[in-house]
Amino acid sequence: MLLRELQDGILTLTLNRPEAINALTTELLRELARAFAKEATAPEVRVVVLRGAGRGFCSGQDLREFEGQRISYKGHLRNYQGVVEGIASLEKPVVAAIHGAAAGAGLSLALACDLRVAASDAFFTTGFSRIGLIPDAGMNYYLPRLVGYARAFELAALSPRLGAEEARALGLVNRVVPAESFAEEVARLAQELAQGPTKTYGLIKRALRRSASATLEEMLEYEALLQEVAGRTEDHQEGVQAFYEKRPPRFQGR
Ligand code: T3D
């Protein structure tokens, strides 16, 4: 259900239920949570790419899995909390590589990632309100932070279908690349991140996450604290040395 491939510091996680546009089952979500908590934290992993097999990224919760059953608070939390928190707390970049559909909780997972690259054929819909549900899997946290309250409400309440360019204009995705060169563009970005100062990326994630609920004074203090940590990394030494020697840095992620 979840395919894993590690190459040159890039861990690629592929949602692999193409017959249902990679709809999320309890088992798939459990595998994903485990992958973010275990495999992705290994020191040799320097970036994670999350993608979908077949013709789309992810169609959200598998609507057939709980047919006829009531949604339970506990079951819902158990299914989604581990994955969304796993992405947020992973101290390395996570890239969502989106082609075809990203809907419902599939879109939520993409929004929880640090960067979103969309193929020109990608399309996006919150989808929840069409089946009488509210956004979940972290969408209520990420969506208004990315697009502002008014747009978040519109996207959540009306569930329009957005094309890749529309999504980029709204700030939902970082970049749109031609569908024909999607795999190469994602690989290029992943390589760039995999050769970067991994520990620094982790600290950037920590700082930006903290800023969501901090005052300026608190952030100034937290930045100083994290900068002390960044200043002790080998990659900082290497970056400064490379600057002196007028050459590109060779970061080792340490
Ligand atoms: O239980 C809880 O805890 C609640 C949690 C909720 C979280 C959520 O994510 S709620 C939102 C769930 N997702 C949706 O409502 C989206 C449903 N799907 C769609 O709207 C469309 O399929 C798409 C817009 C994603 C793609 O449209 P299209 O036309 O490209 O594909 P399609 O023909 O609709 O789908 C292809 C197949 O995938 C089809 O199966 P079939 O008929 O060929 O056997 C379709 O039924 C299946 N599929 C698509 N989405 C889901 C799905 N099967 C199960 N669950 C799905 N979410």
Side-chain angles (χ1 to χ4, degrees):
M1 265 191 191
L2 182 70
L3 306 178
R4 305 148 166 88
E5 190 196 352
L6 175 60
Q7 201 177 6
D8 301 329
I10 303 165
L11 176 65
T12 302
L13 299 177
T14 304
L15 307 169
N16 188 31
R17 300 191 64 232
E19 69 285 1
I21 317 182
N22 306 310
L24 301 163
T25 57
T26 300
E27 193 189 334
L28 178 54
L29 287 163
R30 204 173 289 148
E31 282 188 52
L32 253 186
R34 208 177 304 130
F36 280 108
K38 296 249 158 62
E39 282 110 307
T41 58
E44 61 272 24
V45 173
R46 295 179 66 186
V47 59
V48 179
V49 175
L50 180 63
R51 62 183 289 277
R55 67 183 171 97
F57 177 73
C58 177
S59 61
Q61 170 67 42
D62 189 303
L63 295 175
R64 296 209 169 83
E65 185 177 28
F66 301 118
E67 213 170 323
Q69 292 177 42
R70 293 256 164 92
I71 296 169
S72 97
Y73 160 79
K74 272 192 186 159
H76 186 79
L77 202 59
R78 194 172 45 235
N79 271 0
Y80 286 101
Q81 192 177 28
V83 183
V84 176
E85 287 188 354
I87 296 171
S89 60
L90 185 71
E91 300 231 322
K92 39 194 106 172
V94 182
V95 178
I98 305 150
H99 74 294
L107 177 55
S108 304
L109 293 191
L111 299 187
C113 294
D114 302 304
L115 276 167
R116 281 160 292 287
V117 184
S120 49
D121 69 357
F123 66 95
F124 302 80
T125 180
T126 58
F128 298 93
S129 65
R130 289 190 188 275
I131 54 167
L133 292 182
I134 65 155
D136 62 15
M139 191 181 283
N140 293 298
Y141 181 87
Y142 287 111
L143 189 62
R145 284 172 168 80
L146 284 167
V147 303
Y149 176 90
R151 286 192 177 115
F153 182 83
E154 188 178 356
L155 297 180
L158 302 178
S159 296
R161 177 174 161 146
L162 303 175
E165 276 304 338
E166 285 173 288
R168 193 190 56 76
L170 281 178
L172 277 186
V173 301
N174 296 76
R175 38 180 108 164
V176 177
V177 300
E180 309 77 56
S181 53
F182 180 56
E184 295 83 57
E185 296 290 346
V186 170
R188 208 193 317 272
L189 175 65
Q191 273 156 18
E192 186 180 338
L193 289 166
Q195 287 163 11
T198 313
K199 289 215 177 305
T200 304
Y201 291 155
L203 295 171
I204 291 171
K205 280 184 77 161
R206 267 206 242 177
L208 292 177
R209 260 163 66 74
R210 177 67 69 90
S211 81
S213 61
T215 62
L216 173 62
E217 290 72 24
E218 286 163 346
M219 274 319 291
L220 288 169
E221 219 173 286
Y222 195 53
E223 282 168 2
L225 203 75
L226 296 187
Q227 201 65 295
E228 186 176 304
V229 178
R232 288 199 203 115
T233 62
E234 287 178 29
D235 285 341
H236 168 59
Q237 305 299 325
E238 164 61 11
V240 173
Q241 197 60 37
F243 171 78
Y244 294 147
E245 294 169 13
K246 296 186 187 296
R247 60 168 174 82
R250 289 182 291 269
F251 294 126
Q252 303 297 321
R254 290 192 290 264

